[in-house]
Amino acid sequence: MTSSTVVSAPLSSLTGVIERITFHSSESGYTVARLNTGNVKQLLTIVGSFANIQAGQTLQLQGLWREHPQYGSQFQVVQYQETKPATLTGIEKYLGSGLIKGVGPVTAKRIVKHFGLDTLEIIENQIDRLSEVPGIANKRIAMIQSTWSEQKSIKEVMIFLSGHGVSTTYAVKIYKQYGDDAITTVTTNPYQLALDIFGIGFLTADKIACNVGVAPDSLFRYRAGILHVLNKASEDGHCYLPESQIVPFTKELLTTDEYEAESRVIVDILSQMVIEEQLIREKDDDELHGHLTVLNSIQHPCPLYYQPSFFYSEQHLAKLLQQKLETNLDVDRNRVKSWIGKFTASKQIKLSPQQYVAVEMAAREKVMILTGGPGTGKTFVTRTIVKLWKAMGKSIACAAPTGRAAKRLTEMTGISAKTLHRLLEFDPSQMGFKRDGDHQLDCSAIVVDESSMVDLFMAHSLLKAIPKNALLLMVGDIDQLPSVGPGNVLKDLIGSDKIPVVRLTQVFRQAAESAIITTAHQINRGSYPQLEKISMKSTADCLWHPGGTEAEHGVQTICELIEHYIPHAGFNPATDVQVLSPMTRGVVGTRNLNKVLQQLINPPDLHQEELARGDSILRIGDRVMQLKNDYTREVFNGDLGIVINIDHTEKEVTINFDEREVVYDFADLNEITLAWATSIHKSQGSEYPVVILPLYTQHYVMLSRNLFYTGLTRAKKLALIVGSQKAIAIAVKQVKQQQRYTKLKERLEI
């Protein structure tokens, strides 16, 4: 690898073994390392950009000596190449560095002790002889051989990719995805990477494309840009985009300092993608957008562009719902009312008028929505409906979008609830659900809790799997944030006026004693909440700490609360507390908070393994969150787990998700992130004993009433709001019910 650094002074040369890595950024390759040139007592500091660097590698370096004002003499590497280690120590470190799966430091020591300087030659050409080494079984030899061969191949790929601006982490993932075809794929159509590899988006693929010589007006580039714009829109919840948005967004994305993308070309390619069925085009006859089209200046209904899976899912979901709504069940209402009377009398309970309507309606409506805020009795009504269904002889299934929500539903109903993925029996080999229109669920009634979290694709999969005459009760809080995935299903169903809805509004006396619940309803009404300040004498379950006006003060306040107030209140900082932030960036964003809280709650321990990856560290005991749906491992976006093992020999991390151990290769760890602090969006469907909610004006762009409401209502026993009165006032005032581009409501109204 050769750096692009311009050097005027003559270069010096060094050869040595990498003793340890002080810092390595997987993104930029920037590295600080200690080099052993033969004098163990005087290790040298080297600084430079390395595609792949491991302790134990022997390197030939060329560069310049620099004097750092703080760290002293450093060797600035301009170019380097790896050589096979020639010393026993070098070979031992090389093998035991974690580069070769199946060989850790202990095994490496045994191998080198047995074969000496011939070790690498033996592994290369006579690997079966490793059986001569005590403790190495044939199974491990096969693993070592496989990894050794892979490393030789991957090295070629990584050298090529690093020369074209690809980080080490992504180079490994690219090789895992394409194998020996990696270089061909990258040079032919690097934009394929954005579709196939998690973490590589259009912008990264575009840089690679530029480096390998793909022209800026390439059709590959235009098509990839259009799909990127649509995919980014889906991340914001949209099911489609109108042409009036997709064209300027794509033009802005594709335009560079040297090249200006053409709107006319984008429109032409959109049409071509429609012909090739890569996109679906619809006319928006209901709404005159009033924009000037790219092709002419006359006003007309704006074309809408869907990716096919979005279009057909939305269309078919509406059709399935309409079919269920065609007829009610033939139920003896008097008998239902009689049962309700006897049941409430025997349990000495009383239903409010709203609750009575909900229970009675659930006996006959094939689809029904039960919504309402905290303390209005959704749980009580749901439990009563399940009892009624049992009395009617129904076979009942219960499900929720997340594991935690399913667990709560089990406690609520007494019926074993599953996540929707498990209920529908996801099959990783087919990348689809086993339960569908041809193999429907074996039940005659189903409860789905936390329905505000259900996105378009999950709703469609669920409706396909429900028998035609089965009853569906969707329970959720419409005032919470909408689903993380595309669509706004619960809102669209309610807004269509086609689905029977009961909205519970009465807050009951016992619930009203909770400051969390009363504060949540104050926020929902747009009233500034009456918050009690935190003190060691506080007994309320919802409290406020001013936390200063600056975000830095907020971080300090959160740490002090976790160190002092939380234990005083009887909670465990490591297991009971969840910090929920409106944003990922900034001083009180999740990224910075996670580093701070990890150091506070789970600091380094000499007796526990940890793993450095770029500028982040993963430790045993860390709370982590899954960032994407991983159907093979059956771990889904937003799932929380605890790191229980880090194996540097096998290059694997084991994480406990709800008492289920899941193993990750090091290369796949960009699918998880630290979760001492998470975003409010990611917390949907979860409840935590204690929630700490920082609200500062630097979050202005994200502050909104339903965001504040959602974050607060995640707290089960104690909510601590940290931040300025101004930020709280902004959050309460701003009603950001972002309009999502969906047509489910309109399709239901047809």
Side-chain angles (χ1 to χ4, degrees), residues 46-87:
I46 64 169
V47 178
S49 184
F50 293 80
N52 181 27
I53 188 166
Q54 302 275 352
Q57 285 179 304
T58 300
L59 301 178
Q60 290 180 347
L61 310 167
Q62 287 188 302
L64 299 167
W65 287 102
R66 302 284 191 214
E67 195 67 27
H68 191 281
Q70 185 177 353
Y71 301 112
S73 183
Q74 296 181 339
F75 190 74
Q76 179 71 47
V77 179
V78 174
Q79 54 191 21
Y80 70 92
Q81 72 178 66
E82 182 183 4
T83 62
K84 287 186 178 179
T87 66

Side-chain angles (χ1 to χ4, degrees), residues 84 118-130 145 148-149 152:
K84 287 186 178 179
D118 295 329
T119 295
L120 299 182
E121 183 68 26
I122 295 291
I123 294 175
E124 181 78 41
N125 299 309
Q126 303 176 60
I127 197 163
D128 290 344
R129 288 190 59 193
L130 288 180
Q145 185 174 27
W148 182 263
S149 301
K152 282 169 43 183

Side-chain angles (χ1 to χ4, degrees), residues 35 174 205 231 236 244 300 377 437 542 588 619 631-633 654 660 685:
L35 186 76
I174 290 169
N231 286 330
D236 292 330
S244 58
H300 64 81
C542 184
V588 281
R619 299 189 180 116
Y631 298 106
T632 303
R633 294 186 178 94
T654 305
R660 191 171 65 90

Side-chain angles (χ1 to χ4, degrees), residues 523 526-529 531 544 695-697 700 703-705 708 721 723-735:
I523 293 166
S527 305
Y528 189 94
L531 296 167
W544 169 58
L695 295 176
Y696 283 86
T697 52
Y700 179 84
L703 293 178
S704 69
R705 188 179 299 172
F708 188 6
I721 301 163
S724 66
Q725 288 179 308
K726 183 177 180 182
I728 293 171
I730 291 169
V732 171
K733 185 178 179 182
Q734 291 198 115
V735 181

Side-chain angles (χ1 to χ4, degrees), residues 319-331 333 361-368 394 467-472 498-500:
K319 182 180 178 182
L320 290 169
L321 285 165
Q322 286 168 336
Q323 287 174 349
K324 287 192 77 67
L325 293 167
E326 284 173 355
T327 57
N328 290 345
L329 286 186
D330 186 14
V331 174
R333 288 198 180 189
M361 187 184 287
R364 54 186 163 81
E365 296 291 353
K366 290 185 185 174
V367 184
M368 173 186 154
K394 302 289 182 186
K468 184 177 179 181
N469 289 322
L471 305 179
L472 170 61
K498 297 292 184 180
I499 311 292

Side-chain angles (χ1 to χ4, degrees), residues 515-653:
I516 294 173
I517 290 175
T518 55
T519 302
H521 285 280
Q522 287 168 358
I523 293 166
N524 220 14
R525 291 194 300 268
S527 305
Y528 189 94
Q530 304 301 308
L531 296 167
E532 180 184 332
K533 278 191 180 182
I534 295 174
S535 75
M536 289 299 182
K537 296 179 181 179
S538 301
T539 57
D541 62 359
C542 184
L543 301 164
W544 169 58
H545 192 298
T549 56
E550 298 299 325
E552 289 78 5
H553 298 150
V555 175
Q556 183 181 344
T557 299
I558 290 169
C559 289
E560 289 173 356
L561 289 172
I562 288 173
E563 267 192 299
H564 304 297
Y565 185 80
I566 296 299
H568 169 79
F571 297 101
N572 184 335
T575 57
D576 295 338
V577 181
Q578 185 63 56
V579 178
L580 300 179
S581 177
M583 296 183 75
T584 56
R585 294 177 180 160
V587 178
V588 281
T590 58
R591 289 179 188 170
N592 183 57
L593 283 170
N594 268 315
K595 290 181 181 179
V596 173
L597 295 174
Q598 181 193 48
Q599 199 66 15
L600 179 69
I601 301 171
N602 192 30
D605 183 338
L606 292 174
H607 304 293
Q608 292 279 32
E609 292 284 355
E610 63 177 44
L611 174 66
R613 292 181 62 80
D615 60 351
S616 65
I617 294 172
L618 199 63
R619 299 189 180 116
I620 291 176
D622 274 334
R623 186 186 304 161
V624 293
M625 175 179 281
Q626 178 75 12
L627 294 174
K628 61 166 281 194
N629 287 339
D630 188 327
Y631 298 106
T632 303
R633 294 186 178 94
E634 290 190 57
V635 187
F636 302 102
N637 188 358
D639 283 358
L640 288 176
I642 301 292
V643 177
I644 59 173
N645 189 46
I646 297 174
D647 188 332
H648 287 278
T649 300
E650 302 293 334
K651 301 175 81 175
E652 293 175 342
V653 172

Side-chain angles (χ1 to χ4, degrees), residues 33-239:
R34 300 284 276 168
L35 186 76
N36 181 354
T37 57
N39 184 352
V40 182
K41 293 181 180 179
Q42 191 176 2
L43 300 178
L44 304 178
T45 299
I46 64 169
V47 178
S49 184
F50 293 80
N52 181 27
I53 188 166
Q54 302 275 352
Q57 285 179 304
T58 300
L59 301 178
Q60 290 180 347
L61 310 167
Q62 287 188 302
L64 299 167
W65 287 102
R66 302 284 191 214
E67 195 67 27
H68 191 281
Q70 185 177 353
Y71 301 112
S73 183
Q74 296 181 339
F75 190 74
Q76 179 71 47
V77 179
V78 174
Q79 54 191 21
Y80 70 92
Q81 72 178 66
E82 182 183 4
T83 62
K84 287 186 178 179
T87 66
L88 292 177
T89 303
I91 294 171
E92 191 179 302
K93 279 189 171 292
Y94 180 72
L95 286 181
S97 65
L99 200 64
I100 310 301
K101 200 169 186 178
V103 181
V106 175
T107 305
K109 200 176 196 71
R110 286 188 196 141
I111 294 172
V112 174
K113 183 179 179 181
H114 189 83
F115 294 115
L117 293 174
D118 295 329
T119 295
L120 299 182
E121 183 68 26
I122 295 291
I123 294 175
E124 181 78 41
N125 299 309
Q126 303 176 60
I127 197 163
D128 290 344
R129 288 190 59 193
L130 288 180
S131 61
E132 298 171 18
V133 180
I136 298 185
N138 288 334
K139 184 178 179 182
R140 179 164 290 199
I141 292 173
M143 185 191 300
I144 294 169
Q145 185 174 27
S146 171
T147 312
W148 182 263
S149 301
E150 184 179 296
Q151 282 299 324
K152 282 169 43 183
S153 301
I154 199 173
K155 194 163 289 184
E156 293 177 20
V157 174
M158 289 177 74
I159 289 170
F160 171 82
L161 293 174
S162 66
H164 292 90
V166 183
S167 72
T168 305
T169 301
Y170 290 136
V172 173
K173 292 181 81 70
I174 290 169
Y175 183 81
K176 283 179 69 176
Q177 176 73 26
Y178 304 117
D180 294 336
D181 295 329
I183 293 175
T184 303
T185 302
V186 171
T187 51
T188 306
N189 180 15
Y191 297 102
Q192 190 66 34
L193 304 180
L195 299 176
D196 294 341
I197 297 174
F198 177 73
I200 294 184
F202 174 84
L203 297 178
T204 301
D206 202 33
K207 286 179 185 175
I208 298 169
C210 180
N211 288 334
V212 299
V214 176
D217 61 351
S218 158
L219 290 181
F220 280 138
R221 186 167 185 261
Y222 269 82
R223 286 171 182 257
I226 288 167
L227 291 176
H228 174 75
V229 167
L230 284 170
N231 286 330
K232 289 297 289 182
S234 73
E235 289 174 13
D236 292 330
H238 302 302
C239 296

